Amino acid sequence: MIMRLLMCPPVYYGIEYEINPWMSRAHQIDHRLAQEQWRRLYRLLQDDLEFEISLAEPRPGLPDMVFTANAGVVWDNQFIASNFRHEVRRGEVPAFENWFRVRGYEVCYLPNDHFFEGEGDLLLCGDLLFAGYHIRSDILSHQKVAEILEREVLSLELASDWFYHLDTCFCPLDKARAIFYPPAFDAYALKVLENHIETLLPVTEAEARRFACNAIVANQKVVMNDGCTEIRARLESLGFTVYETPLSEFIKAGGSAKCLVLKVPHNQEPH
Ligand code: ARG
């Protein structure tokens, strides 16, 4: 089945505020290079991984809108909108809500005081949903998401400000395997991961900091930022094809390949 991804061109992308340790207004992006890197990722996903890509229209004043993984979560015909912890990202919500509404999705909301940052903090590994909390999303939001999706959600406490979303330190490969960066989790979260996932492949600190875990995976193919040679070799030895693509300009905002896409399975409605 062809899988669809939602992306948003980096037209208004930049470092205009600092809401994670990667971001520094003094360390600006090269705008042209960012556009080039984003286009390269887009083409790779479309041509080599055969994803269908839909676009959200970028809006001025929303520099992080390019990180569509944080828009919310799509499940069948439902779109659960995010509740951003930081005010500066809340303006993205109506734009994404509208994108899904006009395409026939049922838009679901969480209580205002339950922060939740979409697929950045909610990942499916096989049949199991894992959700990160503490730094961006609240654990209370996991309960609500579980109720809406009518599925169990396993909560994982994140322990490092550098790895503030689950998708910065955990990447499911298939139903039995995932890559992860152990120091990003608290002790109990590590136990939960070990108890539920057969094979956990740790990445080194250097590669975690190159966002090795922030990879896009489909049909034994993995797309990640460049320079992650150790995990690349390990993945290749397991039969995965790894595509490296430079994403330096997005790491300046604390994101990489996986943050730049949102999975959007086709719904039943005409659009
Ligand atoms: N600057 C953005 C933020 O701090 C980066 C978001 C990265 N997204 C992700 N899914 N990890 O919110």
Side-chain angles (χ1 to χ4, degrees):
M1 192 191 81
I2 298 179
M3 184 72 183
R4 183 159 50 143
L5 298 176
L6 178 64
M7 295 181 75
C8 178
V11 180
Y12 304 106
Y13 171 58
I15 314 293
E16 291 177 19
Y17 45 75
E18 297 165 6
I19 56 172
N20 69 53
W22 303 92
M23 301 176 90
S24 160
R25 270 166 292 190
H27 194 206
Q28 267 311 322
I29 59 151
D30 173 333
H31 204 260
R32 236 207 39 189
L33 184 57
Q35 306 263 359
E36 215 174 282
Q37 293 181 340
W38 185 91
R39 277 223 71 82
R40 205 154 143 177
L41 175 68
Y42 177 101
R43 264 188 259 115
L44 183 62
L45 294 172
Q46 195 170 56
D47 302 344
D48 297 77
L49 276 84
E50 291 167 28
F51 280 109
E52 181 185 321
I53 311 224
S54 294
L55 294 179
E57 198 186 321
R59 305 239 174 131
L62 299 173
D64 274 336
M65 202 178 158
V66 67
F67 297 112
T68 51
N70 298 125
V73 165
V74 192
W75 194 269
D76 296 330
N77 200 36
Q78 290 178 309
F79 171 67
I80 305 179
S82 286
N83 264 343
F84 284 97
R85 180 171 295 271
H86 298 284
E87 178 77 47
V88 282
R89 291 203 66 184
R90 291 188 195 147
E92 298 173 34
V93 178
F96 286 118
E97 266 169 22
N98 193 48
W99 195 94
F100 285 95
R101 186 173 297 108
V102 301
R103 286 166 180 80
Y105 289 83
E106 179 196 343
V107 179
C108 306
Y109 301 92
L110 302 172
N112 280 335
D113 56 347
H114 291 24
F115 297 131
F116 175 65
E117 300 206 351
E119 222 181 57
D121 269 328
L122 188 80
L123 295 172
L124 191 64
C125 186
D127 284 334
L128 296 175
L129 275 172
F130 291 92
Y133 73 96
H134 182 57
I135 301 175
R136 291 297 182 85
S137 300
D138 289 326
I139 193 166
L140 285 173
S141 71
H142 298 174
Q143 192 49 45
K144 293 283 170 198
V145 170
E147 281 167 25
I148 296 170
L149 302 182
E150 295 174 0
R151 295 180 70 107
E152 190 188 353
V153 171
L154 296 165
S155 297
L156 302 170
E157 182 169 345
L158 303 180
S160 160
D161 285 341
W162 291 92
F163 301 96
Y164 57 94
H165 280 139
L166 184 62
D167 70 0
T168 64
C169 51
F170 175 62
C171 176
L173 297 168
D174 54 30
K175 68 177 191 319
R177 295 181 291 194
I179 61 179
F180 78 137
Y181 179 54
F185 295 92
D186 92 327
Y188 185 71
L190 285 176
K191 281 213 173 72
V192 173
L193 285 173
E194 282 157 13
N195 286 339
H196 290 91
I197 300 176
E198 227 169 270
T199 308
L200 284 166
L201 309 170
V203 302
T204 61
E205 182 184 353
E207 295 192 359
R209 296 182 72 90
R210 295 193 68 81
F211 280 71
C213 298
N214 198 250
I216 301 165
V217 183
N219 310 322
Q220 295 275 112
K221 294 175 179 174
V222 183
V223 175
M224 62 171 65
N225 182 36
D226 61 6
C228 300
T229 49
E230 286 183 51
I231 194 67
R232 176 180 184 151
R234 189 79 198 276
L235 290 170
E236 285 172 346
S237 74
L238 294 171
F240 290 91
T241 306
V242 179
Y243 299 79
E244 291 187 33
T245 192
L247 291 163
S248 59
E249 299 319 289
F250 297 96
I251 286 174
K252 290 176 182 170
S256 183
K258 159 71 181 62
C259 308
L260 292 166
V261 305
L262 177 70
K263 286 202 181 81
V264 183
H266 285 279
N267 63 350
Q268 304 310 310
E269 308 297 319
H271 52 266

XYZ file of all heavy atoms in Angstrom, residues 19-20 23 64 67 69-70 89 117 120 136 164-165 167-168 214 253-255 259, ligand 1:
167
model
N 13.426 27.113 21.971
C 12.569 26.306 22.851
C 13.142 24.906 23.074
O 12.489 24.056 23.652
C 11.113 26.214 22.309
C 11.071 25.663 20.883
C 10.428 27.583 22.380
C 9.644 25.377 20.380
N 14.350 24.693 22.598
C 15.067 23.460 22.934
C 16.555 23.787 22.870
O 16.948 24.815 22.296
C 14.636 22.305 22.001
C 15.109 22.498 20.570
O 16.294 22.716 20.317
N 14.182 22.428 19.620
N 18.504 25.039 19.663
C 18.181 26.303 18.995
C 18.931 27.474 19.608
O 18.912 27.655 20.826
C 16.665 26.581 19.087
C 15.794 25.509 18.474
S 14.019 25.818 18.715
C 13.639 26.767 17.242
N 8.557 26.958 12.647
C 8.705 25.519 12.898
C 7.615 24.689 12.220
O 7.549 23.473 12.422
C 8.681 25.228 14.407
C 10.058 25.376 15.052
O 11.072 25.250 14.328
O 10.122 25.602 16.280
N 8.185 21.307 10.610
C 8.252 20.041 11.356
C 6.836 19.475 11.531
O 6.240 19.515 12.612
C 8.935 20.251 12.714
C 10.365 20.702 12.579
C 10.756 21.979 12.969
C 11.322 19.851 12.043
C 12.071 22.400 12.826
C 12.645 20.269 11.894
C 13.015 21.547 12.286
N 5.661 16.600 11.795
C 5.437 15.481 12.729
C 4.720 15.965 13.985
O 4.058 15.180 14.668
C 6.759 14.833 13.118
N 4.865 17.257 14.285
C 4.260 17.791 15.504
C 2.844 18.319 15.310
O 2.227 18.791 16.272
C 5.136 18.907 16.089
C 6.504 18.408 16.472
O 7.512 18.928 16.029
N 6.557 17.355 17.278
N 4.507 27.958 19.104
C 4.134 26.976 18.062
C 2.617 26.801 17.948
O 2.142 26.094 17.063
C 4.810 25.621 18.314
C 6.326 25.671 18.104
C 6.915 24.304 17.811
N 6.478 23.744 16.533
C 6.806 22.524 16.103
N 7.584 21.747 16.844
N 6.370 22.078 14.931
N 2.384 16.742 21.565
C 3.044 17.253 20.363
C 3.080 16.230 19.224
O 4.074 16.075 18.511
C 4.410 17.844 20.731
C 4.241 18.994 21.734
C 5.340 20.041 21.742
O 6.370 19.866 21.096
O 5.128 21.074 22.433
N 5.607 13.461 17.036
C 6.917 13.663 17.660
C 7.024 12.869 18.947
O 8.104 12.427 19.345
N 7.900 17.724 26.524
C 6.915 18.423 25.697
C 5.489 17.928 26.007
O 4.653 18.681 26.468
C 7.227 18.263 24.217
C 8.486 18.988 23.784
C 8.358 20.490 23.963
N 9.517 21.205 23.510
C 9.728 21.579 22.265
N 8.862 21.306 21.324
N 10.823 22.243 21.945
N 14.114 15.812 23.438
C 12.875 16.289 24.064
C 11.610 15.701 23.478
O 10.531 15.842 24.060
C 12.852 17.825 23.977
C 12.980 18.295 22.544
C 11.846 18.575 21.787
C 14.223 18.400 21.934
C 11.958 18.946 20.462
C 14.340 18.775 20.612
C 13.204 19.041 19.886
O 13.312 19.396 18.571
N 11.701 15.103 22.278
C 10.562 14.377 21.703
C 10.975 12.910 21.581
O 12.142 12.610 21.298
C 10.245 14.880 20.288
C 9.453 16.145 20.219
N 9.724 17.149 19.319
C 8.358 16.550 20.920
C 8.848 18.136 19.465
N 8.009 17.802 20.435
N 10.630 10.980 19.169
C 11.226 10.641 17.871
C 12.652 11.145 17.705
O 13.269 10.968 16.660
C 10.323 11.093 16.700
C 10.263 12.610 16.527
O 10.908 13.353 17.292
O 9.541 13.063 15.606
N 13.207 11.773 18.744
C 14.621 12.155 18.690
C 15.513 11.068 19.291
O 16.730 11.126 19.176
C 14.905 13.480 19.441
O 14.616 13.287 20.832
C 14.062 14.628 18.919
N 16.146 9.880 14.541
C 15.079 10.634 13.891
C 15.019 10.236 12.409
O 15.197 11.045 11.508
C 15.348 12.133 14.064
C 14.116 12.971 13.829
O 14.015 13.695 12.847
N 13.150 12.862 14.710
N 17.491 23.573 14.522
C 16.226 23.820 15.236
C 15.857 22.626 16.106
O 14.806 22.613 16.749
C 15.101 24.096 14.248
N 16.715 21.602 16.099
C 16.427 20.419 16.908
C 15.573 19.394 16.186
O 14.818 18.649 16.825
N 15.688 19.333 14.866
C 14.912 18.340 14.122
C 15.712 17.744 12.979
O 16.754 18.266 12.595
N 11.153 14.353 11.799
C 10.333 15.499 12.248
C 9.722 16.243 11.065
O 8.761 16.993 11.240
C 11.167 16.542 12.977
S 12.166 15.972 14.286
N 12.126 23.591 16.815
C 11.131 22.566 16.914
C 10.659 22.482 18.365
O 11.470 22.609 19.239
C 11.676 21.262 16.436
C 10.655 20.168 16.399
C 11.210 18.833 16.037
N 10.191 17.887 15.903
C 10.212 16.604 16.314
N 9.239 15.836 16.007
N 11.197 16.155 17.049
O 9.503 22.296 18.650
